[in-house]
Amino acid sequence: MMRANAHPTAALAAAAMAFALVTPGVPVAPASAAAPTPNHHRTHLSVSATLAELASLDRAGVRALLDRTPGLIATLLTQTSAADAAIWWAEMDAARRDDLIRTVPVLVGSLDGIDATDRVRANRYAARARLARVDERLQQVSRRGAEEDAALLGDLLLERRYLTKVVAGQVRLYLYSPERGAMIEMAGDPSTAAGILLVVPGTNASVRSFMVDDPVTSFADWQVANADPGAPVVAFTVLAAPMPQISLNLASGPQNNTIATAAGADYARIVKGIEVALPGLPTLSYEHSAGSQVGSSAEMHGARFDVRFLAGGVGATDGYRPVSGTAYYAAQAAEDVNRYYAGFQVGDIGYGVGPEDIPGVIVLDPGYAEEQATGSVGAMLMQGLDLHNRLFSGDGRTNGTVLKDVRLLLASLARGSSG
């Protein structure tokens, strides 16, 4: 088995420099990590009563309740369990659910445990409202005509193009919370799926990564389009919280393991919500780069997977132990740039458990034809970066071996679940 190499902090900084030269990061606003209110009896009764009231009101009544109760949606989102949301939603008839989808789309489109198709539909309505606000902002910025607004104008135009696709049904949003740096796209039909694929992007991922011409959803899209006919897949590309962005500052770049660790708590909550909405389906979590620490941290917060696949992953922090009943796979090119991180940790810097060092992990060959880079350290790191990024590609010409390996794993999980 190929072992991860431990490198000093200077090498981590050099790797970060290479990343910065090739793929500059697009930072997003940090998540508003408000602590949930303790789930004591009184709070539970209040949430239950509010949900019951929402279910009983007509559209005008719902709007009046929201007007006289500022922050109600945020409160419900933080205090309602996925199990309670699923029961609440299932007990309503179709007409009542339709009213709420149209009246409070942000709530329905963000509440864990609710039917996945209904969440996507709600987010189409929410996207229409957001699109109108983006258009207003575009008009304001365009009227100013200030040179310093050029970047803002570009961001608004990019979001407008994306939201237009959402409204048209070309993109299916399961969660859209750009203010918190969180976003989930769904692909596939949950009503026919035999398995769930969760795809976690890593370093430099952001809300913007979903909107560009080569989005982070390409791996999930390939799996849905090419799934075994007997094992259709529903896939979720999950940005649970802001991910580390490339920086030469060791305290704020991907070397800082606390960023991905914090995102793991949000990922665990999302995974549990999806399992409530789609019970009984096997799950495979495909985690790229720093996304593997998100998955490792999610396990610490109670998330459970049938399979975890660490693709060019950083692995996990010191003290990590695999979960019984989960199968672990790792794929990483010999010259992958993330080998500068794996197996090295000093406090908050680095990751002490390399992906290939996880007890029981099955190491797969990604199938890349590699040549030893010669010349400068920069050339070696550039090659390592290219090999690293391939593992998140949905292009069969560059990542065909891994794409097919995951396809086979998903089919095998579906057969095992049904048999």
Side-chain angles (χ1 to χ4, degrees), residues 45-117:
L45 287 177
S46 176
V47 169
S48 298
T50 303
L51 291 175
E53 185 176 5
L54 282 171
S56 67
L57 296 171
D58 59 17
R59 294 186 194 178
V62 170
R63 294 188 183 100
L65 175 62
L66 295 176
D67 286 343
R68 67 175 182 267
T69 318
L72 177 61
I73 290 178
T75 299
L76 290 174
L77 289 177
T78 58
Q79 296 183 4
T80 307
S81 72
D84 286 345
I87 294 170
W88 170 69
W89 196 248
E91 287 178 345
M92 284 183 280
D93 60 31
R96 186 85 284 268
R97 290 196 295 267
D98 182 69
D99 280 344
L100 290 172
I101 285 171
R102 295 169 183 269
T103 312
V104 281
V106 172
L107 174 65
V108 177
S110 305
L111 197 55
D112 291 322
I114 284 183
D115 176 85
T117 300

Side-chain angles (χ1 to χ4, degrees), residues 304-318:
R304 294 295 177 260
F305 310 96
D306 292 283
V307 172
R308 283 185 59 203
F309 195 114
L310 287 67
V314 294
T317 51
D318 285 337

Side-chain angles (χ1 to χ4, degrees), residues 33-313:
T37 301
N39 191 21
H40 49 67
H41 187 58
R42 181 179 298 177
T43 298
H44 186 75
L45 287 177
S46 176
V47 169
S48 298
T50 303
L51 291 175
E53 185 176 5
L54 282 171
S56 67
L57 296 171
D58 59 17
R59 294 186 194 178
V62 170
R63 294 188 183 100
L65 175 62
L66 295 176
D67 286 343
R68 67 175 182 267
T69 318
L72 177 61
I73 290 178
T75 299
L76 290 174
L77 289 177
T78 58
Q79 296 183 4
T80 307
S81 72
D84 286 345
I87 294 170
W88 170 69
W89 196 248
E91 287 178 345
M92 284 183 280
D93 60 31
R96 186 85 284 268
R97 290 196 295 267
D98 182 69
D99 280 344
L100 290 172
I101 285 171
R102 295 169 183 269
T103 312
V104 281
V106 172
L107 174 65
V108 177
S110 305
L111 197 55
D112 291 322
I114 284 183
D115 176 85
T117 300
D118 286 340
R119 277 188 67 159
V120 168
R121 184 163 170 251
N123 280 316
R124 286 183 68 182
Y125 281 100
R128 290 178 186 175
R130 188 174 180 95
L131 185 57
R133 294 195 296 273
V134 168
D135 282 339
E136 290 177 3
R137 189 77 176 113
L138 276 168
Q139 291 180 4
Q140 296 170 359
V141 174
S142 297
R143 281 196 297 267
R144 283 203 305 257
E147 291 185 10
E148 58 268 25
D149 285 335
L152 174 59
L153 184 63
D155 288 342
L156 289 170
L157 289 171
L158 186 66
E159 185 177 14
R160 189 187 192 286
R161 184 180 70 169
Y162 181 79
L163 291 174
T164 299
K165 293 179 181 178
V166 175
V167 171
Q170 298 169 4
V171 170
R172 290 186 289 170
L173 275 175
Y174 187 79
L175 174 70
Y176 191 55
S177 187
E179 292 80 8
R180 295 192 299 109
M183 190 164 175
I184 306 173
E185 271 194 35
M186 184 179 81
D189 184 352
S191 68
T192 61
I196 299 170
L197 171 65
L198 302 152
V199 179
V200 185
T203 302
N204 259 24
S206 68
V207 168
R208 183 185 179 93
S209 304
F210 288 75
M211 302 178 181
V212 294
D213 291 332
D214 183 20
V216 292
T217 56
S218 65
F219 191 95
D221 292 339
W222 189 96
Q223 294 297 338
V224 169
N226 294 278
D228 186 307
V233 173
V234 60
F236 300 88
T237 302
V238 181
L239 180 68
M243 290 299 291
Q245 303 292 305
I246 293 302
S247 171
L248 296 181
N249 183 346
L250 290 178
S252 59
Q255 314 82 236
N256 185 337
N257 55 55
T258 64
I259 303 171
T261 298
D266 294 288
Y267 185 40
R269 175 184 50 77
I270 289 164
V271 169
K272 293 173 186 177
I274 290 173
E275 290 178 340
V276 168
L278 297 169
L281 295 181
T283 56
L284 187 154
S285 181
Y286 186 87
E287 304 153 8
H288 184 244
S289 191
S292 62
Q293 171 59 13
V294 176
S296 299
S297 174
E299 288 180 323
M300 306 275 297
H301 287 88
R304 294 295 177 260
F305 310 96
D306 292 283
V307 172
R308 283 185 59 203
F309 195 114
L310 287 67

